[in-house]
Structures are given as C-alpha cells and as structure tokens.
Amino acid sequence: MHCSRFRPHGLLWLLALGSLTACVDETPAETGELTQAVDSEVSIFGAGTVPASSVDPDIASVELGVKFRASVPGVVSGIRFYKGSSANAGPHVGSLWSRTGQRLATATFTNETATGWQTVRFTTPVSITANTTYVASYLAPVGRYSATGGFFNGQGAASGPLTALASGMDGENGVYVYGSGGFPTQSYNHSNYFVDVLFTYSPDTSAPTAPGALAATAPSPGAIQLTWSAATDNTGVTGYRVFRGSTQVAVVSGGTRSYLDTGLAPSTFYTYTVKAQDAAGNVGAASNAASATTQPPPAGGGLSLPRVPWEGGPPFYAAWPAMAGTPWLTEDFFPIAYWGAYTDTESRITTDKAHGINTFLETYAGNASSAGWMRKHGIWNLAGSGTGGEAVGATFPDETDMWGGPGWDPWTGNYAGYDVCLPDDPRRCGFTIYNTEYARLNNPSAFIYANVGKGALMWWGDRDREIALNGAAGPDSRANWRLGMVTGDIYFYTDGNIGAEAVNWFGIPASEVRRASNYGEVLMTNLRTTSGAGNNGNPRAALGVVVELGGQATGSVINANQVEGAVWSTLIHEARVVAYFSHVFSNTAANPSTTDVLNDTRPAWQATRDRVKAVNAQVQSLARVLNTQSYVWQFNPKLSTMLKFRDGAAYVFAMQKRQYSSGTYTFTLPLELPASGTLEVVGEGRTLAYSGGTFTDAFAAEYTHHIYRIVR
C-alpha cells in the first residue's frame, strides 16, 4: 500500500508524517508489454511488475525518476514508465540524466495505452558507463502517477546487468521534482515510481590484465602502504582485490591505485599481490609480489592507526575572529550547550552554569543585563551578534529546513508560519532564507550556528542536505553562507511521530526506535556524512545533536539514564558539542510541562538535573581527551566505539549498537596497546584485569556506556 507523498502546507510541515494515514490501494486494470523488443535488450522491471498504488491522488505536475546502474557498458535506447490509469494524462516526456543533472536524452511518449507500461525511444541511443549512477525519469504533468512506498528501503531491484539502487547506495532512491520538468533530486519514503530504461549490452568474458609495479612501504608500526599501476580491460576495470599472502584483505574501486593495510603487528614481514576485476566478475592474473616490514612500535606518543576525519578540535575555532582570547581555543574547553536558555535573571544563568553549561545556543527573554551576566559567569552565546565578548556566534533561524524547505524560491520575510515562500506550497525557499540571513549579519567572519530538524536530517535528498550544511563550500554556487556549528534535533525517545517516521525514513525496526544509540548512529552519522561530502570526509562544521530533557508529546518520557546514554552516543560518534533542549511539551507526573528544565525545582526534574550535572562534569574532565583526533579501530562489530590517545593512555568509549540492547561483549585491542594488564573503567570506580589483547565487560541496558583507560 502506498501513502500519498506529503506535500507540506503552512504549519502542517511541523506535523510532518504524523497525520499521514490515508493510503490508496488500487490494482492496475491491465499490464502492457514492451512494444519494440530488441535482442539482448533488458529493462529493470518485468512486464508483470505492477505498483501497489496505481493512482496517487497528487495532481501537481511532477518529474518522477529512478537511480540506476549497469554493471557493464552499453546503450540506453529509451524510457519506460507504468501508467496505472488514464488519469495519468500526458503529454509525458521521458529523460535520461547523468548523476549530476545533465540531460543526456529526451523524447515525448506517443501512442500510449490506457494503462500498463508505456515506452518511448530516443532518436539517438545513449552510451553509458558501467557502475555509474544515472537517473531515468518522466514528466507526469497532471500527477496521478503509480507508486509503491518503501520499495527501495533496504533493497534495490535487479535484472541482468541493470540495478535500480537501494536507498543509501547513492542517496535515497525514488526521486522527484515538482514543476514543469527538470532533474529530480527530492525523495520521499524510498518510493518506486516505476520508471525504467531500455538497455542493450554484450556479455563480457574477457579478464583484465595483471596490475603492474606493485610496491609496498611501511609508514608506521601497524600499517603497510601499497601502490600499483592500472590494469586494462576491454570494458573497464571495476575493482582491485588485495591479497596479504593468500588471504584477500580488501577490494577497492577500479579508480584506486593504492591501499593502506592497517591493524598489523609492528616489526613484522608481510607480502602482497593484487588482482583486477571487471563488472562481469572476470578476475585477472596476480600482479608481481611486493613485501615490506612494519616499523617498530613507537617509543611514546600516540598510536600508528589511521585517523577518523574531523574538523580539528580547538584549532578549528581559531578561524573565527570572535573566538580570539576565549577558552574555545584551548584544549581544556569543550562546549556544553543549552538550547532555549532564559536570560531574564542572573539566577537562571548561575543555575545553568552550576549544571556545567558553558554555551547558549538559543536564548529567550533577554534584557539589557543579560550580556553582562553571561560574561560574568563564563557563558558563551552563539545566539548573539558574532562580534565578540560573550557573543562569539550568531544563530540562523531554528529549523529553517522544516518551515522553509529546500530551494531558492523567493522568501516573504515571514518565519515559521503561513506565507513563508513564494509560492507557499510547496515551500522551497530555505536556501534563500539562509542567504538573506547571512547578508543581514554583514559579518562574513561570523561563527554561524544553525540547528536543523527532520527536513535536512530525514526528508531531503543528499544534494539539498549538502547545500544546507555546507553553504558556499557545497554543490550550489548560489549559496553564500558558511556554518561554524550545526546541531540536529530529532527526539527518538519522546517525539510522538518518530515511531512511524524512523521506520519509513531510516529503516529502523519499530522495536529499535526509542534507543539512545540512534542519536549518534543515525543523526551524527547523517551530519558527518553530509558535512564531509566532497571534503575527504572531514566535516566543515563542528557538529552535535540536541538531546531533549523531557517529553515532547503528551505522555512521553525520557529518564535520566536515557538522557545520559543519548549524550554519550553523540560523543562516541564524534560530536564536538554536548547540547540539551530546555523545553518540555508533555504534561504528565513523570514529565510535567516546563520551559526550563535546569531551572525547574519541582521533584519530578531533580533526577534529570542531577544527571545532567554529573554528565557535564565528566565531559569537562575529559575535554583534553575529547579534543584529540580519534583513531580508526573496530573493537567489536556489535559496539559503537571511539578510540583516543592522550597523555600516555588510550581511551576507549563504547556502547551497544542499536540492535543490541544488553549483553556481555569482548573487546579486541590494537596490537600497539599492552596485551595484558589492568585497565580503569572511568567514572565507575572499578578496574578490569585483561590478557591476550582482549577484555570483556557487560552492558546492562540499551543506554549503557563505558569509558576505559589503558595506560601504555
């Protein structure tokens, strides 16, 4: 069953998918056949493949598409789409696009049948490259298209060498754009709109040649660097298989000519060969053998493991003049932030400070004394002018992604209400808002903070996410802004709508939605992937996730243990700021409504307040560790972990991945750390004896986390 795509109108955007219950379940009347068969011509979807919904109620003009790849080179001679009803009236126009939006061919459908598969052929077939993403689309000028919701969630569709990509392989699949036609980039619910291609190819039986000039060097105690020259193939090399001795240790892409083999023992001799493969699975002969001996272990300092991409810790903030002379540039400072802090009285600010808060992300009820109180008590304001003093940052409007939408339409100047964009439905002026707000600052060097919600984190396609978070460094030259810090705020424990949305958009099983690990595994991962796009994975902004301190829907509850688990999940996934949301919208005995949790002295909030204070104290005590770059190492595939090294000791931060809620786990240590000894479990008053390069510990609940300190 396919639910009609949500087209937000006015404040309904804030409700997102929570009210989407009406679905269409219709069976197509008949199924057409390919009208012009060609030898060795294939399509993705067979003639008997039909959508769950034959007629969507949407009546707007929309371009609908599918991302696909061919595993071998060939030619695309035309486009197909499924018509479920004559209500999907034309004229329909089919197009083939490159991944970056270049239209490669187009043709108008003629002689359509009332229902079933419709076919049009290009005047000139288009040659396509193997293992490259393309988009096939058609324009439905009156909507009423056919679709199956959730089709590409965790799965693709394949026929011979053709594959319609599963969502996540190259952004979300099932793409669209409203209007009179154009390159479709938006997506909803991984929907299949049943667009297809006519593809012709010749089987490939020729293996690639052997790679040449394989060389091995030892850059560190735990790694061997390999380089080689390219192999050749009649249709193209798609990958290289790397062998350590007789064991295959990696497969890299066909455009790669190097591989860093890590996790090796110091002072050890290793031998390697490499083989090339093509899209048809043909594997060529082995390269020459190359050998090297890893370096001896370092006498002191850090580890020789690869590093996790990052934005550089405190040195990152030095790029903004307003940070000069502040603790932000020291390794003993870690931002611990409160979103929605009230600044109308000094007592509120002193209470926030007593709980470990050192940064305000958004402020309310300010007056002439607020800035002075913040300076007096060491609170740094990211919701200020960005010109210095306590106002080291400036804030873009909250959740512009949700109420402004992605796009460059004109902005009326209104906020989070009706008549935001021109036109106002669908809303597509969020990027215009960011550009306008940036110009209003009149401070190109300002440290700009933005908080995003379900738009950029959930509903949008990859390109729109990258524009929003990366601004002038992103894929659209019209963007002028540059963000210094970005947080996201989806509340997995307490959002009344998140259950269905997380299943639809993130592919999270319903039983695993309300877990602390999602704050890091899902949200931080999305933020880091987007902020690091096109930048070797290095985020362009300091990133974090806002954790709610109380219920956001009537009857919803988040307890102190869950708050702590959510915070540490973000940190384990490389958050550069701890952030809390102050407001509570529920109204129950366990979570009574309040605008300011940390200043609410009612007994219901005491446990949360105490836990926030304790968590913040531990984070601050570990600032020097958290401000160092992490290492890449997998201690256990069922755990989310972060490895750092500081002042002669390794620190291992760990909690269970989402699907593992409790249990006992074994950690395998890097070879550079002592194979036996006693380690400290930080903050828990206990130690663990270990040997054989492994240790074991228990995780009692889904929110449980541990920090281990191992002296080298």
Side-chain angles (χ1 to χ4, degrees):
M1 182 173 290
H2 170 64
C3 293
S4 174
R5 184 179 331 108
F6 180 55
R7 300 180 65 234
H9 179 73
L11 290 176
L12 291 179
W13 189 305
L14 301 178
L15 299 177
L17 301 176
S19 61
L20 291 183
T21 56
C23 296
V24 178
D25 187 11
E26 303 179 21
T27 302
E30 64 179 273
T31 301
E33 298 289 337
L34 285 176
T35 59
Q36 192 174 347
V38 178
D39 289 343
S40 71
E41 185 174 77
V42 295
S43 295
I44 303 168
F45 305 108
T49 303
V50 295
S53 168
S54 60
V55 186
D56 194 281
D58 191 351
I59 60 173
S61 179
V62 61
E63 185 102 13
L64 304 155
V66 62
K67 296 178 183 177
F68 73 95
R69 293 176 185 169
S71 61
V72 296
V75 296
V76 173
S77 59
I79 300 292
R80 309 168 68 216
F81 79 92
Y82 190 90
K83 182 196 291 188
S85 165
S86 59
N88 183 358
H92 299 108
V93 179
S95 297
L96 178 69
W97 309 80
S98 72
R99 178 63 179 87
T100 57
Q102 178 185 3
R103 195 194 303 262
L104 304 176
T106 186
T108 301
F109 288 81
T110 59
N111 301 319
E112 294 185 20
T113 58
T115 60
W117 286 100
Q118 313 298 318
T119 302
V120 67
R121 292 186 180 275
F122 302 135
T123 302
T124 303
V126 179
S127 296
I128 65 172
T129 305
N131 301 301
T132 302
T133 300
Y134 295 88
V135 177
S137 70
Y138 82 98
L139 175 66
V142 296
R144 309 311 301 272
Y145 45 84
S146 301
T148 296
F151 185 97
F152 293 116
N153 185 11
Q155 66 175 8
S159 177
L162 287 178
T163 300
L165 306 182
S167 288
M169 287 188 64
D170 189 353
E172 292 185 8
N173 207 354
V175 289
Y176 66 92
V177 63
Y178 281 104
S180 58
F183 182 52
T185 59
Q186 301 181 59
S187 59
Y188 168 73
N189 193 27
H190 318 285
S191 297
N192 183 1
Y193 302 112
F194 289 84
V195 191
D196 205 342
V197 294
L198 305 172
F199 177 71
T200 304
Y201 72 102
S202 298
D204 176 18
T205 59
S206 298
T209 63
L214 178 65
T217 58
S220 69
I224 297 290
Q225 177 69 62
L226 302 174
T227 59
W228 58 87
S229 60
T232 59
D233 184 70
N234 62 319
T235 62
V237 173
T238 60
Y240 292 96
R241 301 185 181 189
V242 180
F243 293 83
R244 186 196 308 136
S246 60
T247 301
Q248 181 175 305
V249 294
V251 178
V252 299
S253 70
T256 302
R257 307 286 187 273
S258 64
Y259 176 70
L260 182 66
D261 193 20
T262 61
L264 306 177
S267 304
T268 303
F269 183 78
Y270 294 96
T271 298
Y272 297 86
T273 54
V274 176
K275 298 179 180 180
Q277 64 184 35
D278 63 19
N282 300 307
V283 179
S287 68
N288 60 289
S291 303
T293 300
T294 51
Q295 294 183 15
L303 306 176
S304 63
L305 297 172
R307 298 277 194 161
V308 173
W310 76 327
E311 76 290 352
F316 169 79
Y317 302 116
W320 284 270
M323 295 292 187
T326 71
W328 288 72
L329 306 188
T330 68
E331 59 187 4
D332 292 313
F333 177 86
F334 195 88
I336 301 173
Y338 203 30
W339 201 106
Y342 281 79
T343 61
D344 51 340
T345 64
E346 185 176 10
S347 62
R348 286 183 182 268
I349 293 175
T350 57
T351 298
D352 293 342
K353 185 68 175 182
H355 282 87
I357 302 297
N358 57 33
T359 303
F360 287 160
L361 299 180
E362 183 63 277
T363 60
Y364 294 127
N367 56 45
S369 299
S370 299
W373 291 330
M374 283 186 264
R375 285 194 296 272
K376 176 181 177 181
H377 297 289
I379 299 288
W380 306 99
N381 186 15
L382 297 190
S385 62
T387 57
E390 85 294 335
V392 295
T395 299
F396 273 178
D398 183 42
E399 293 181 338
T400 301
D401 58 309
M402 294 181 67
W403 54 265
W408 296 99
D409 285 351
W411 177 35
T412 64
N414 296 330
Y415 296 91
Y418 291 99
D419 302 320
V420 170
C421 304
L422 294 173
D424 199 49
D425 184 17
R427 292 187 178 177
R428 294 192 293 257
C429 67
F431 303 150
T432 304
I433 295 171
Y434 270 15
N435 257 3
T436 304
E437 293 289 346
Y438 177 75
R440 284 177 179 173
L441 284 174
N442 194 29
N443 181 4
S445 299
F447 183 83
I448 300 171
Y449 161 70
N451 181 62
V452 298
K454 293 179 180 178
L457 290 173
M458 182 183 287
W459 304 330
W460 291 4
D462 291 346
R463 187 174 189 274
D464 288 334
R465 294 186 230 276
E466 291 170 14
I467 294 171
L469 266 64
N470 298 318
D476 196 314
S477 61
R478 291 171 289 183
N480 294 327
W481 65 89
R482 180 177 64 149
L483 300 179
M485 179 177 287
V486 180
T487 58
D489 67 349
I490 294 179
Y491 301 140
F492 287 100
Y493 280 117
T494 63
D495 182 343
N497 297 324
I498 193 61
E501 290 180 291
V503 172
N504 288 336
W505 291 96
F506 297 136
I508 300 174
S511 61
E512 298 173 9
V513 171
R514 301 196 183 279
R515 295 194 174 173
S517 55
N518 290 324
Y519 290 77
E521 282 189 47
V522 177
L523 303 187
M524 276 303 304
T525 297
N526 283 2
L527 288 169
R528 285 180 58 79
T529 299
T530 302
S531 185
N535 197 38
N536 295 319
N538 295 286
R540 296 180 177 89
L543 304 172
V545 170
V546 181
V547 176
E548 74 271 37
L549 294 181
Q552 304 306 303
T554 300
S556 65
V557 174
I558 181 172
N559 62 42
N561 290 328
Q562 293 165 340
V563 169
E564 179 175 352
V567 168
W568 278 105
S569 177
T570 73
L571 290 168
I572 289 170
H573 287 83
E574 303 292 334
R576 301 288 173 248
V577 56
V578 171
Y580 303 98
F581 181 54
S582 63
H583 288 37
V584 180
F585 303 135
S586 65
N587 194 14
T588 64
N591 275 262
S593 178
T594 182
T595 57
D596 191 350
V597 173
L598 297 186
N599 284 273
D600 193 319
T601 59
R602 286 178 289 180
W605 294 115
Q606 192 61 51
T608 298
R609 293 176 60 205
D610 290 346
R611 188 64 60 86
V612 167
K613 186 174 183 178
V615 169
N616 293 346
Q618 186 174 48
V619 169
Q620 190 55 56
S621 72
L622 291 166
R624 288 168 62 86
V625 177
L626 295 173
N627 281 326
T628 62
Q629 190 174 5
S630 301
Y631 294 93
V632 177
W633 183 259
Q634 185 181 83
F635 292 90
N636 186 308
K638 296 182 179 180
L639 297 172
S640 290
T641 58
M642 179 173 67
L643 171 62
K644 293 180 179 289
F645 193 92
R646 181 65 198 233
D647 300 328
Y651 290 80
V652 181
F653 302 76
M655 68 185 303
Q656 309 97 306
K657 290 184 177 178
R658 180 183 66 241
Q659 61 268 46
Y660 308 107
S661 59
S662 62
T664 299
Y665 299 97
T666 297
F667 292 70
T668 299
L669 297 174
L671 294 173
E672 295 176 68
L673 295 180
S676 61
T678 300
L679 60 82
E680 174 191 1
V681 187
V682 178
E684 298 185 29
R686 62 188 179 98
T687 59
L688 293 174
Y690 70 98
S691 62
T694 66
F695 70 91
T696 300
D697 202 8
F699 291 75
E702 56 88 9
Y703 49 74
T704 302
H705 68 94
H706 299 302
I707 306 168
Y708 307 99
R709 180 175 181 268
I710 305 170
V711 177
R712 188 172 70 182

